[in-house]
């Protein structure tokens, strides 16, 4: 099995099963490819709650479960640079209508940059200021 987990969960396999059995209303999604020019899909990262993230390679026996989540039009999917990720995922028939793109959103904000690193810094700074 090629499922990887990042986060504070002590039993990530249970969190993974819960994600599959009770799909969330919203998912953060990222694809990993060989390169920008060779868009052969290596794996997909998913995050539903901001704390626990999962990454699954395409050779995993449960990879179809990830694709089913991405095909579900009732789940809102957030990508950074959605046109690239959706082009990579086109062959899997994923939903293309219930999609948000943080790169596009960032370009509409009065922030100096729209890269994922820029947005991560901005969101982290905002989140910390909201907690205090």
């Amino acid at each position: 099995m090629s499922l990887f987990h990042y986060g504070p969960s002590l039993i990530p396999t249970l969190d993974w099963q819960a994600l599959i059995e009770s799909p969330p209303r919203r998912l953060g999604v990222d694809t990993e490819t060989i390169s920008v020019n060779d868009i052969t899909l290596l794996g997909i990262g998913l995050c539903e709650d901001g704390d626990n993230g999962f990454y699954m390679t395409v050779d995993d026996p449960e990879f179809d479960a990830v694709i089913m989540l991405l095909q579900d039009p009732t789940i809102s999917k957030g990508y950074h640079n959605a046109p690239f990720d959706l082009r990579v995922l086109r062959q899997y028939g994923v939903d293309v209508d219930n999609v948000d793109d943080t790169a596009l959103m960032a370009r509409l904000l009065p922030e100096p940059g729209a890269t994922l690193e820029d947005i991560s810094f901005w969101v982290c700074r905002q989140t910390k200021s909201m907690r205090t």
Side-chain angles (χ1 to χ4, degrees), residues 5-11 15 51-53:
H5 172 261
Y6 175 82
S9 176
L10 299 176
I11 310 174
D15 292 334
D51 289 324
N52 290 291

Side-chain angles (χ1 to χ4, degrees), residues 25-69:
R25 294 180 55 217
R26 184 163 182 75
L27 276 174
V29 184
D30 187 36
T31 61
E32 296 303 323
T33 61
I34 290 177
S35 71
V36 175
N37 297 321
D38 181 350
I39 62 169
T40 302
L41 183 64
L42 299 175
I44 298 175
L46 300 173
C47 183
E48 87 170 287
D49 61 9
D51 289 324
N52 290 291
F54 296 95
Y55 177 79
M56 183 175 283
T57 58
V58 295
D59 62 350
D60 191 278
E62 292 188 45
F63 186 73
D64 287 344
V66 173
I67 296 303
M68 287 178 61
L69 289 173

Side-chain angles (χ1 to χ4, degrees), residues 37-124:
N37 297 321
D38 181 350
I39 62 169
T40 302
L41 183 64
L42 299 175
I44 298 175
L46 300 173
C47 183
E48 87 170 287
D49 61 9
D51 289 324
N52 290 291
F54 296 95
Y55 177 79
M56 183 175 283
T57 58
V58 295
D59 62 350
D60 191 278
E62 292 188 45
F63 186 73
D64 287 344
V66 173
I67 296 303
M68 287 178 61
L69 289 173
L70 300 180
Q71 290 171 336
D72 187 339
T74 66
I75 300 174
S76 176
K77 277 78 66 186
Y79 297 89
H80 187 80
N81 191 12
F84 178 81
D85 291 318
L86 293 173
R87 187 175 69 169
V88 171
L89 296 169
R90 180 182 302 154
Q91 65 181 319
Y92 298 99
V94 301
D95 171 51
V96 296
D97 294 319
N98 197 358
V99 169
D100 291 316
D101 185 343
T102 57
L104 178 60
M105 291 177 193
R107 288 181 182 96
L108 300 173
L109 293 172
E111 291 295 320
T115 67
L116 190 54
E117 292 81 8
D118 292 336
I119 293 171
S120 298
F121 175 77
W122 183 80
V123 169
C124 182

